[in-house]
Amino acid sequence: MVTSEQVAQLAGVSRATVSRVLNGSARISDDARERVHKAIKALGYEPNVVAQNLARPRSRMIALGLFHDNEGLAISQLGRTENYFYIDMVRHIDRCVAEIGYDLFMPSLPRSKPESYIRSLQARRAAGIIMLAVDQSDPRIEALIQAKIPTVFVDAMGEGSHATYAQSNHLEGARQVGEHLLALGHRRIAFLIEPLSNPTSTERLLGCQQVLARAGVPFDPGLLCQIEWSTDEAYHATKEFLSRRRDFTAIVAGSDMMAIGILRALHEAGLRVPEDVSLTGFDDVVLSQYTTPPLTTVRQDKEALGKGAVQRLIALIEETGDVSPLIVPSQLVVRESTGPAPVSS
Amino acid sequence: MVTSEQVAQLAGVSRATVSRVLNGSARISDDARERVHKAIKALGYEPNVVAQNLARPRSRMIALGLFHDNEGLAISQLGRTENYFYIDMVRHIDRCVAEIGYDLFMPSLPRSKPESYIRSLQARRAAGIIMLAVDQSDPRIEALIQAKIPTVFVDAMGEGSHATYAQSNHLEGARQVGEHLLALGHRRIAFLIEPLSNPTSTERLLGCQQVLARAGVPFDPGLLCQIEWSTDEAYHATKEFLSRRRDFTAIVAGSDMMAIGILRALHEAGLRVPEDVSLTGFDDVVLSQYTTPPLTTVRQDKEALGKGAVQRLIALIEETGDVSPLIVPSQLVVRESTGPAPVSS
DNA sequence: CTGAAAGCGCTTACAG
DNA sequence: CTGAAAGCGCTTACAG
């Protein structure tokens, strides 16, 4: 591996000077700058980022975490169906982070206590962390805030001197769903959603409830079903649910990936979508247009979320710029899984 | 942050000794070992892995790469529908790597030449790399082999003094598909598969061809359609294909994610699956049991692949153990997207 | 068994 | 503008 020492020798300067031209320091003679650049090119030099991260007061590594079931292995969690939406979003985060010259990494930390999670993060010298959090009560949220590690939470509402958050306007999205179903004549609507320890879930429920309440539609608690949110679990839970109740004309699923499982349970039960029952999702994952029928859902603006989260994290790290919570508008997308409520029932 | 220096002081030993007990060096007095452990616990010490990776002759970081369209941003690539199968596999890789005390990272490297890709990898001090490669002609494959960076290729056939590969037995899986369709009476079978620059694709085609040829079924080149392999592209390509030809009773899709797109195009064209046309996929991604109808496919053993790849990479890095290419058996899973060939046509 | 010293490859005050 | 030196937090021969 070629080092800055070799570049310095070839250019006839010191390592300090090489470092300075690399980091765009101001006071460098044009002559020196040019000689260094020439040497870098000739040698194919690329600075050792591990050494840089150790030497600099602040590293250029951003950690991406995903809290799920108290697991620390972020990459593994990302592969669970319930997190497919985040995969779409992470693509934008990745791109955005690369553009500003930082490295993104997903620390695979063993399951452990919050304090040790923090220490592992520090041991890896993360400059900051983007935390995809699905459970507001996860103790690591508070631990990150206390530790004053620059953090942007996505879908959890952590705030502090070095923390802020970004999320879609789930409430507004849910209201659109409520209005859409209402307009189609639905009155008895079932909610198959994630446990309400997930704030996203709560907002989605609330948005629908608000609209229905204003329209004078009574809320039937028996039609509210909190289920775990993988496609598999949604499928099984729906089968069980259908064995108890069928007196509804529409289902609001907590997410698209849940809707995919619900759809199958509905098919197997001989219920047609949307003729017998309408179904809506949330998120607009790539696959929601490939279900049978294609899914009516609420689109989250993945790009705005991803870029916004990165921008705020940098602002937090560099202590300059906008660090206010980011709320991104979301938008109902009507496809073919919703239709008029059946007249008889 | 607490450093090894502080631990040393509290334990009344030198930093060297702290380092030795941490790394399980043999010759350490029980007394010293115990004092150090006590100090570590008292201080909540966790070694700085960045410093470790710099100081050690060999780091404990494993890079995960994904070559796709000459892009370097691995995490972004992973989120494309065409790579959903790899997401499932990566979960096992992640877990396995964490178990042996290594860190997994997905370098987000800007699009660049092979040489500079190699340099970036070295600049990040990767001990080795697991390369998910989808195009055998990608120049980075050869570059990695030449550079003698320990590498395990998945789905590309790179071999060298420091390189080996792991993949499913796609040929055998494809034979099972061919036999299954043959047994159901299909004779005119369309292949909508990835471009043959992808060796996986070639093997899958070949396996089916072999079986059909042995059965005396002629191969119609007009029924072979090489299309890009995202769900989207498969959908659009299928629409186009259906406008030209419909004289087939079965479609072999190059992958499950392609089959999902194909399924939609078939629905829209008014063709019923499997009554009018049977459809098979490959991979058995999580979602293949949630399509309508659930997909007949070939299951890849993700766990065996992931674990096997990691085991071989470690063998390559430590220069001891089995580094022979790993071929994992795969297995037809019959679900509801295949049925008897329609009698009339 | 253990410590002092050199080294991993950078960056950054400190002088000049 | 530029270099010599110290430092980032570890590990590992080298002695003893």
Side-chain angles (χ1 to χ4, degrees), chain A residues 5 15 21 29 32 43 82 88 94 119 126 132 144 200-201 212 252 280 317-318 320 329 343:
Chain A
E5 175 64 40
R15 282 154 67 215
V21 343
S29 68
L43 263 31
E82 46 267 57
D88 290 347
D94 190 28
R119 283 201 298 265
L132 311 176
L144 280 166
T200 300
S201 183
L212 296 178
V252 171
T280 67
I317 292 172
E318 300 182 347
T320 167
V343 282

Side-chain angles (χ1 to χ4, degrees), chain A residues 195-257:
Chain A
L196 299 173
S197 62
N198 177 343
T200 300
S201 183
T202 314
E203 288 180 44
R204 288 171 172 176
L205 175 61
L206 182 59
C208 289
Q209 281 178 326
Q210 288 177 342
V211 170
L212 296 178
R214 266 180 225 141
V217 176
F219 183 77
D220 180 350
L223 288 178
L224 169 61
C225 193
Q226 292 180 52
I227 58 185
E228 290 304 322
W229 52 317
S230 71
T231 301
D232 259 337
E233 288 161 318
Y235 165 68
H236 291 294
T238 305
K239 285 186 83 141
E240 196 277 328
F241 180 70
L242 289 175
S243 70
R244 297 200 323 268
R245 307 244 343 213
R246 293 200 176 197
D247 57 333
F248 51 82
T249 64
I251 296 178
V252 171
S255 70
D256 289 350
M257 294 309 293

Side-chain angles (χ1 to χ4, degrees), chain A residues 231-233 235-236 260-261 264, chain B residues 286-292 294:
Chain A
T231 301
D232 259 337
E233 288 161 318
Y235 165 68
H236 291 294
I260 288 175
R264 182 179 171 200
Chain B
V286 181
L287 291 169
S288 61
Q289 52 188 307
Y290 288 103
T291 53
T292 310

Side-chain angles (χ1 to χ4, degrees), chain B residues 4 15-16 19-20 23 45 52 55:
Chain B
S4 68
R15 283 153 67 215
S19 176
R20 287 196 188 97
N23 296 298
Y45 169 69
Q52 286 182 319

Side-chain angles (χ1 to χ4, degrees), chain B residues 97-171:
Chain B
V97 163
E99 268 167 24
I100 57 175
Y102 277 67
D103 263 23
L104 184 70
F105 74 107
M106 304 184 69
S108 284
L109 309 177
R111 185 187 298 257
S112 61
K113 293 198 225 128
E115 314 85 71
S116 105
Y117 183 84
I118 299 293
R119 282 201 299 263
S120 298
L121 228 41
Q122 288 168 330
R124 284 166 181 73
R125 297 209 119 218
I129 180 166
I130 293 179
M131 192 72 251
L132 312 177
V134 299
D135 184 344
Q136 185 73 41
S137 66
D138 193 304
R140 286 168 293 192
I141 294 176
E142 195 51 34
L144 279 166
I145 295 173
Q146 294 302 334
K148 299 200 185 303
I149 297 175
T151 305
V152 174
F153 295 97
V154 176
D155 282 338
M157 272 166 289
E159 276 190 279
S161 62
H162 296 259
T164 187
Y165 63 90
Q167 62 174 61
S168 288
N169 192 336
H170 300 302
L171 207 56

